[in-house]
C-alpha cells in the first residue's frame, strides 16, 4: 500500500483581504509524480511555497509523513525546490554549485566528491564538472539546478515550472529525463506547470486547479478522456464541446443527430455537455452520416491536418486527420461510441413527470411535487430542479424522503446524493450530512420548473 507523504488539510491562504486558496485538501503518496496544472494566478506557486515552508497557510494543516510541519523551517524539511529561475551561483563552477548545500551541511570532502559526481551523472553532466555556469546553455543550467536539488537526497522535490524558460524541443527532451530521474531516484515530485502537454506526459496524477480550488484529480488518461467539467475539457486539450441530451441509456443526441454512447443512468432527455476530441471525429462520405458539414478552413500542423467544419446547424467542429481534404468539400462525421464523453450539467436535477390535479407533478410514487404550473392533468412534462433548491430537513416537515447514498465535496458546499425510490436527487448544501442517513426533502413550489418537450426518442 502506498504511503501518504504529504497531507494538505483544509488549507486557506489570504493575501490581505483576498483569499487565493480556498479549503484545499490533497494527499500525495510516496514516489508519486503529481502535477498541479492550472491557469496563471490559480494558486499553484502559493501552494508549493507553503509545502516548501517559504510561506505559511492562513488556516489548515500540512503534514509530512504524518507529522505536522506548519512551523518547521524550510531548511529543516526533507524537501528541496527547483525554481523556474534556477538561481545558480555564477561565480562558482558546476561542481561547486552542486556541492554548495553539502558543504553547508559539513559533509566530509570525499563524500561530497562522490555525491556530486553521482548527481551530475544523473543529469548527464559528469564531464562538465569544472565548467563555469555562464558557459552553459539554458538546458544545461537547468540540469545543474536539478543536480543541486537531488544531491541532498530530499524525500520530496518541488518543481515550479522548471522548464518554462527553455525552448520547445529542449523542454520535450527534458520532460522524459525528469520522469526517468523521478523513477530511478524514487523521490516524490510535485510539479507545477500551466502546460497541459507537460502535465499529461510526465505525471502519475494531475490536479487541475482554477481560482484556488481543485476541479479534478486523476491520472492523465482519466483527466483527458473523462473531464468532469467544461473548464477541464477546455483546459486539458483542444476539444469540441457541444450541448446535447441523453435520449435514453446508451443514446445521446447532439447537433440534432442521435449517437450510441457508453453512458447510462441519466434521466430521459437530460441536458448534458458532450465532449469529442478532434482526433476522435472520423470524416466519412456525406451520405454515411446524419451529421454533415462543409470544410471551412484547414491548417497543416506537422503531424495532422486540423480541419474546421461548419455543420448543418452552423456550429464549428474541429477535426484532426492524417489525410488532407479540399476546402468547401461536403463531408459526413461519425464518432465511435467510446469516444463520446458525456458531462452532466452542473447543478440540475432533471426528471420526466406527469401533471396531476391542482398543479402537482408526479415523477414517481415516491416523488410528487407541488408546482405553480397550470398545465392540464395527464400532461407529460420535463421537471427540472436546481440542486441548490433541494432542501434537506426533518422527515416530518418534508414533501418526501430518501436515503443519502453519496456525498461529494464541491468548492463551498457538498453535493448530497439521495435515493428516493427508483430516482435520485442531488442537493447542494453547506450542511454536513452522513452517507446512510434518512432525510426529509422539500422544494419550494416556485422552484419546481416544468415544461412540455417533444419526445426525441422516436424522431
Ligand atoms: P502562475 O502560473 O502565473 O505562476 P500561479 O497559479 O502559480 O500562477 P500564484 O503565484 O500562486 O499563482 O498566485 C495566486 C494568486 O495570489 C494571484 O492572484 C497572485 O497575484 C496572488 N499572490 C501571490 N503571492 C502574493 C503576495 N505575496 N501578495 C499578494 N498577492 C499574492
Amino acid at each position: 500500500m502506498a504511503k501518504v507523504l504529504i497531507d494538505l488539510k483544509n488549507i486557506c491562504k489570504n493575501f490581505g483581504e483576498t483569499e487565493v486558496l480556498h479549503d484545499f485538501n490533497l494527499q500525495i503518496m510516496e514516489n508519486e509524480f503529481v502535477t498541479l496544472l492550472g491557469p496563471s494566478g490559480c494558486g499553484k506557486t502559493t501552494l508549493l511555497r507553503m509545502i516548501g515552508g517559504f510561506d505559511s497557510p492562513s488556516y489548515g494543516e500540512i503534514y509530512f509523513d504524518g507529522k505536522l510541519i506548519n512551523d518547521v523551517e524550510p531548511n529543516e524539511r526533507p524537501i528541496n525546490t527547483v525554481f523556474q529561475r534556477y538561481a545558480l551561483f555564477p561565480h562558482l563552477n558546476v561542481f561547486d554549485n552542486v556541492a554548495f548545500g553539502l558543504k553547508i551541511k559539513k559533509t566530509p570532502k570525499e563524500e561530497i566528491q562522490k555525491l556530486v559526481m553521482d548527481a551530475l551523472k544523473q543529469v548527464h553532466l559528469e564531464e562538465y564538472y569544472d565548467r563555469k555556469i555562464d558557459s552553459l546553455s539554458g538546458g544545461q543550467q537547468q540540469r545543474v539546478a536539478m543536480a543541486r536539488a537531488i544531491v541532498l537526497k530530499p524525500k520530496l522535490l518541488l518543481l515550479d515550472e522548471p522548464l518554462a524558460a527553455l525552448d520547445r524541443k529542449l523542454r520535450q527532451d527534458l520532460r522524459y529525463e525528469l520522469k526517468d530521474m523521478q523513477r530511478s531516484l524514487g523521490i516524490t515530485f510535485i510539479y507545477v506547470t500551466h502546460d497541459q502537454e507537460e502535465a499529461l506526459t510526465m505525471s502519475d496524477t494531475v490536479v487541475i486547479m482554477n481560482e484556488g480550488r481543485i476541479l479534478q484529480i486523476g491520472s492523465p488518461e482519466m483527466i483527458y478522456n473523462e473531464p468532469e467539467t467544461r473548464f477541464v475539457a477546455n483546459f486539458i486539450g483542444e476539444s469540441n464541446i457541444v450541448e446535447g441530451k441523453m435520449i435514453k441509456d446508451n443514446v445521446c443526441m447532439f447537433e440534432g443527430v442521435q449517437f450510441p454512447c457508453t453512458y447510462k443512468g441519466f434521466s430521459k432527455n437530460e441536458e448534458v455537455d458532450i465532449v469529442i476530441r478532434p482526433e476522435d471525429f472520423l470524416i466519412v462520405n456525406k451520405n454515411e452520416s446524419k451529421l454533415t458539414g462543409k470544410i471551412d478552413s484547414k491548417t497543416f500542423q506537422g503531424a495532422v491536418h486540423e480541419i474546421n467544419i461548419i455543420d448543418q446547424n452552423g456550429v464549428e467542429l474541429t477535426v484532426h486527420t492524417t489525410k488532407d481534404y479540399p476546402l468547401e468539400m461536403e463531408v459526413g462525421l461519425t464518432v465511435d461510441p467510446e469516444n463520446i464523453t458525456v458531462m452532466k450539467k452542473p447543478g440540475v436535477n432533471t426528471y420526466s413527470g406527469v401533471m396531476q390535479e391542482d398543479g402537482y407533478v408526479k415523477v414517481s410514487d415516491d416523488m410528487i411535487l407541488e408546482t405553480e404550473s397550470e398545465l392540464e392533468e395527464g400532461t407529460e412534462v420535463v421537471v427540472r430542479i436546481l440542486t441548490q433548491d433541494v432542501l434537506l430537513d426533518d422527515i416530518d416537515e418534508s414533501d418526501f424522503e430518501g436515503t443519502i447514498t453519496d456525498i461529494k465535496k464541491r468548492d463551498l458546499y457538498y453535493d448530497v446524493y439521495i435515493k428516493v425510490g427508483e430516482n435520485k436527487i442531488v442537493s447542494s448544501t453547506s450542511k454536513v450530512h452522513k452517507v446512510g442517513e434518512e432525510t426529509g426533502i422539500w422544494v419550494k413550489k416556485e422552484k419546481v420548473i416544468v415544461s412540455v418537450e417533444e419526445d426525441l426518442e422516436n424522431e
Side-chain angles (χ1 to χ4, degrees):
M1 251 295 263
K3 193 162 98 180
V4 177
L5 190 67
I6 285 281
D7 196 356
L8 303 173
K9 287 203 162 136
N10 308 105
I11 302 288
C12 298
K13 178 68 184 172
N14 299 304
F15 289 113
E17 295 280 283
T18 321
E19 191 173 88
V20 299
L21 286 171
H22 321 275
D23 196 16
F24 203 95
N25 290 282
L26 180 65
Q27 287 192 332
I28 293 170
M29 302 294 161
E30 215 169 39
N31 294 337
E32 200 177 4
F33 194 131
V34 177
T35 299
L36 307 177
L37 175 67
S40 186
C42 71
K44 308 180 293 292
T45 300
T46 305
L47 193 66
L48 213 61
R49 286 176 54 79
M50 289 194 291
I51 298 171
F54 308 107
D55 211 337
S56 35
S58 310
Y59 182 84
E61 287 120 40
I62 304 176
Y63 291 90
F64 187 101
D65 210 356
K67 194 170 138 247
L68 185 68
I69 56 161
N70 282 40
D71 298 322
V72 176
E73 290 297 319
N75 59 354
E76 283 165 19
R77 300 184 183 197
I79 299 176
N80 219 324
T81 311
V82 181
F83 295 102
Q84 187 181 129
R85 285 177 298 281
Y86 4 98
L88 299 170
F89 303 115
H91 58 285
L92 299 181
N93 67 14
V94 168
F95 185 97
D96 289 334
N97 261 284
V98 178
F100 188 79
L102 294 169
K103 283 183 182 160
I104 289 198
K105 283 173 80 182
K106 304 218 165 16
T107 310
K109 221 169 166 190
E110 311 76 71
E111 210 175 313
I112 292 184
Q113 178 72 27
K114 177 169 183 317
L115 290 171
V116 171
M117 290 316 288
D118 280 352
L120 286 175
K121 208 178 268 172
Q122 274 285 344
V123 299
H124 310 298
L125 280 183
E126 63 268 42
E127 321 235 299
Y128 288 69
Y129 68 95
D130 60 349
R131 287 278 284 272
K132 284 178 74 178
I133 290 299
D134 54 14
S135 73
L136 300 179
S137 69
Q140 289 163 340
Q141 290 190 26
Q142 188 57 57
R143 288 197 176 98
V144 178
M146 280 300 298
R148 192 176 59 174
I150 60 175
V151 78
L152 296 168
K153 304 211 182 310
K155 283 199 171 159
L156 170 65
L157 197 58
L158 308 176
L159 301 109
D160 191 358
E161 308 227 19
L163 308 183
L166 308 175
D167 68 43
R168 190 178 157 76
K169 174 79 180 74
L170 197 55
R171 271 203 326 258
Q172 284 176 344
D173 293 346
L174 281 176
R175 264 183 220 163
Y176 297 106
E177 282 185 27
L178 274 175
K179 180 73 205 153
D180 277 353
M181 199 185 298
Q182 187 259 342
R183 259 193 224 119
S184 67
L185 293 170
I187 299 178
T188 305
F189 274 29
I190 307 182
Y191 191 96
V192 159
T193 184
H194 55 253
D195 180 330
Q196 44 276 48
E197 222 178 292
E198 223 165 82
L200 293 177
T201 47
M202 292 197 294
S203 329
D204 300 316
T205 304
V206 180
V207 178
I208 308 269
M209 292 173 60
N210 191 30
E211 297 183 349
R213 297 195 167 94
I214 295 177
L215 294 188
Q216 195 173 347
I217 302 180
S219 66
E221 293 79 13
M222 275 285 293
I223 299 267
Y224 188 82
N225 292 325
E226 316 255 331
E228 283 174 5
T229 61
R230 234 171 212 266
F231 179 90
V232 175
N234 262 326
F235 192 74
I236 202 73
E238 203 182 353
S239 267
N240 297 287
I241 306 177
V242 290
E243 308 229 309
K245 284 186 173 163
M246 280 302 289
I247 303 300
K248 57 179 177 177
D249 280 354
N250 299 113
V251 180
C252 67
M253 179 164 108
F254 58 92
E255 296 309 289
V257 181
Q258 292 190 19
F259 287 90
C261 68
T262 57
Y263 288 79
K264 285 185 186 161
F266 286 76
S267 321
K268 192 171 170 177
N269 294 343
E270 182 170 338
E271 286 174 15
V272 291
D273 285 323
I274 307 257
V275 185
I276 295 158
R277 305 272 165 202
E279 62 272 26
D280 291 333
F281 264 130
L282 304 169
I283 295 184
V284 294
N285 195 303
K286 87 171 193 216
N287 309 323
E288 288 172 35
S289 173
K290 283 191 177 160
L291 179 58
T292 60
K294 195 189 247 187
I295 297 184
D296 183 57
S297 63
K298 55 178 187 168
T299 44
F300 181 55
Q301 297 196 326
V304 290
H305 295 274
E306 180 168 297
I307 296 185
N308 289 315
I309 294 174
I310 307 287
D311 75 11
Q312 69 256 53
N313 304 314
V315 170
E316 183 176 309
L317 299 170
T318 303
V319 181
H320 287 172
T321 78
T322 46
K323 199 175 148 202
D324 195 9
Y325 292 87
L327 282 174
E328 303 283 316
M329 183 176 169
E330 305 242 3
V331 293
L333 287 174
T334 63
V335 53
D336 287 340
E338 61 273 20
N339 290 332
I340 294 178
T341 301
V342 176
M343 294 190 298
K344 231 178 159 47
K345 289 242 186 227
V348 196
N349 295 288
T350 311
Y351 308 99
S352 11
V354 181
M355 292 308 298
Q356 312 287 298
E357 269 183 305
D358 302 327
Y360 279 83
V361 65
K362 179 172 164 181
V363 171
S364 70
D365 287 342
D366 304 291
M367 205 192 278
I368 298 173
L369 299 146
E370 193 177 359
T371 78
E372 290 187 330
S373 167
E374 290 173 3
L375 285 168
E376 213 175 293
E377 191 183 342
T379 313
E380 292 195 1
V381 290
V382 174
V383 183
R384 291 191 178 83
I385 308 164
L386 296 183
T387 55
Q388 67 191 34
D389 294 331
V390 178
L391 308 174
L392 305 185
D393 207 343
D394 286 347
I395 290 178
D396 304 342
E397 308 280 325
S398 57
D399 298 346
F400 52 98
E401 57 193 72
T403 311
I404 298 178
T405 56
D406 196 9
I407 298 176
K408 287 194 180 146
K409 180 115 180 64
R410 297 290 174 205
D411 308 339
L412 296 172
Y413 56 86
Y414 300 94
D415 270 348
V416 179
Y417 292 71
I418 308 142
K419 189 171 181 312
V420 181
E422 289 301 299
N423 287 98
K424 198 172 65 182
I425 191 163
V426 182
S427 162
S428 300
T429 167
S430 55
K431 276 206 213 134
V432 179
H433 290 272
K434 279 211 285 287
V435 172
E437 195 181 298
E438 301 282 334
T439 180
I441 304 160
W442 63 284
V443 186
K444 290 184 184 157
K445 63 176 177 184
E446 63 273 20
K447 301 290 186 188
V448 180
I449 305 151
V450 293
S451 55
V452 180
E453 291 189 16
E454 56 200 307
D455 194 346
L456 298 164
E457 190 181 335
N458 303 320
E459 266 196 0

